[in-house]
Amino acid sequence: MGKLDFVIEELVTANRVLANEGIVDSFGHVSARHPDKPEHYLLSRARAPERIERSDIVEYTLAGEAIDTNAPAPYVERFIHGAIYEARPDVHAVVHNHSPSVIPFGVTPKKLRPFLHMCAHIGHEVPTWDSRDKFGDTTLLVSDMDMGRDLARLLGSRPTTLMRGHGATVVGRSVRHAVFVAIYLEVGAKLQMQAMALGEIKFLSAGEIEQIVGRLNDYTLDRAWENWARRAGRDMQKS
Ligand SMILES: [Zn+2]
């Protein structure tokens, strides 16, 4: 199997896993940088993640134009993906989702931060991008490259960002990595609301986060991926 085939298959599995784990519902998407053409990325046509097949995956330029001029209708928010690939050469996969537990942190002053070791990968503190700051009243959707680039600027070198009243965007070095972080972002947000109800939280220290992130290897990612993939009715490809 070629590299492109491998990534397309990974993307189908990623969509099914994210849906099965409750990170995306009928909305939300996951992309991968093209393995042979770093100036292009791969993303499904506009379709609910749980329903996506190999034939739905479309190749786009970073500006969000489909290479195939007859390609089916794209996601409005594909600009999130292109703008991040443009700004971050280290990023090879992007997840955008509206998972329920992250939403309250985007609309209140409470910062989403990791205190569970598995959540160290969400970063030291998750920032919130507010579309209104620069673009005023909008539908809140990232509907052009200007908005995508503004989001990418706030993301900076971080792994995650929240989006006020909308959702979250997560990046990774591979599809498996981005899915892993997106799942633990939702887990961390849910747990933080529960812990806040009990009292003051002892968060991970900066040093703990660095050590945990430094130890994340393919063994860990593959162990989670096999479980999530099979739970979603998909086989795990040999990486
Ligand atoms: Zn969205």
Side-chain angles (χ1 to χ4, degrees):
M1 185 184 272
K3 275 192 283 183
L4 179 58
D5 261 354
F6 179 86
V7 172
I8 290 172
E9 197 68 18
E10 289 283 274
L11 274 181
V12 174
T13 303
N15 275 285
R16 307 290 185 83
V17 164
L18 289 167
N20 197 50
E21 300 299 323
I23 307 304
V24 295
D25 49 11
S26 299
F27 303 94
H29 21 91
V30 49
S31 71
R33 195 188 286 277
H34 194 296
D36 305 314
K37 297 178 229 166
E39 300 297 304
H40 291 179
Y41 65 93
L42 303 158
L43 175 70
S44 171
R45 72 179 170 100
R47 195 175 194 194
E50 202 167 356
R51 302 289 161 228
I52 286 166
E53 310 281 350
R54 285 182 63 98
S55 56
D56 294 318
I57 306 295
V58 176
E59 182 179 338
Y60 294 97
T61 65
L62 295 189
E65 284 155 12
I67 301 305
D68 177 356
T69 48
N70 295 316
Y75 291 120
V76 171
E77 294 198 281
R78 63 193 179 283
F79 305 103
I80 293 170
H81 303 263
I84 290 174
Y85 292 125
E86 182 182 79
R88 292 277 301 271
D90 60 310
V91 167
H92 288 270
V94 176
V95 174
H96 168 62
N97 62 272
H98 313 149
S99 66
S101 305
V102 304
I103 305 300
F105 291 95
V107 296
T108 57
K110 280 281 177 211
K111 290 292 179 199
L112 177 50
R113 293 172 57 194
F115 58 84
L116 170 69
H117 66 114
M118 295 302 287
C119 294
H121 309 285
I122 71 173
H124 295 270
E125 185 178 290
V126 185
T128 299
W129 180 72
D130 187 343
S131 52
R132 199 189 294 157
D133 288 347
K134 188 165 174 202
F135 301 96
D137 290 345
T138 64
T139 60
L140 276 71
L141 301 182
V142 179
S143 53
D144 60 34
M145 279 304 273
D146 268 1
M147 293 180 86
R149 286 179 179 133
D150 195 55
L151 173 71
R153 245 189 311 277
L154 179 83
L155 177 72
S157 59
R158 298 179 183 90
T160 57
T161 180
L162 302 182
M163 299 153 81
R164 192 265 308 165
H166 179 174
T169 294
V170 172
V171 303
R173 60 183 186 239
S174 65
V175 172
R176 293 179 191 189
H177 184 215
V179 167
F180 183 92
V181 178
I183 288 175
Y184 281 107
L185 183 67
E186 170 64 17
V187 168
K190 194 170 188 179
L191 285 174
Q192 189 168 332
M193 286 189 285
Q194 291 169 352
M196 282 182 331
L198 296 181
E200 200 176 329
I201 299 173
K202 191 177 252 186
F203 289 100
L204 296 179
S205 69
E208 286 168 341
I209 293 171
E210 294 300 330
Q211 287 201 30
I212 296 164
V213 169
R215 276 200 56 179
L216 182 65
N217 53 28
D218 286 347
Y219 170 79
T220 305
L221 294 178
D222 290 354
R223 176 165 149 185
W225 185 258
E226 183 197 11
N227 185 37
W228 290 328
R230 290 183 65 174
R231 199 144 72 183
R234 298 275 300 171
D235 287 332
M236 174 177 164
Q237 303 189 90
K238 264 211 170 85
S239 51

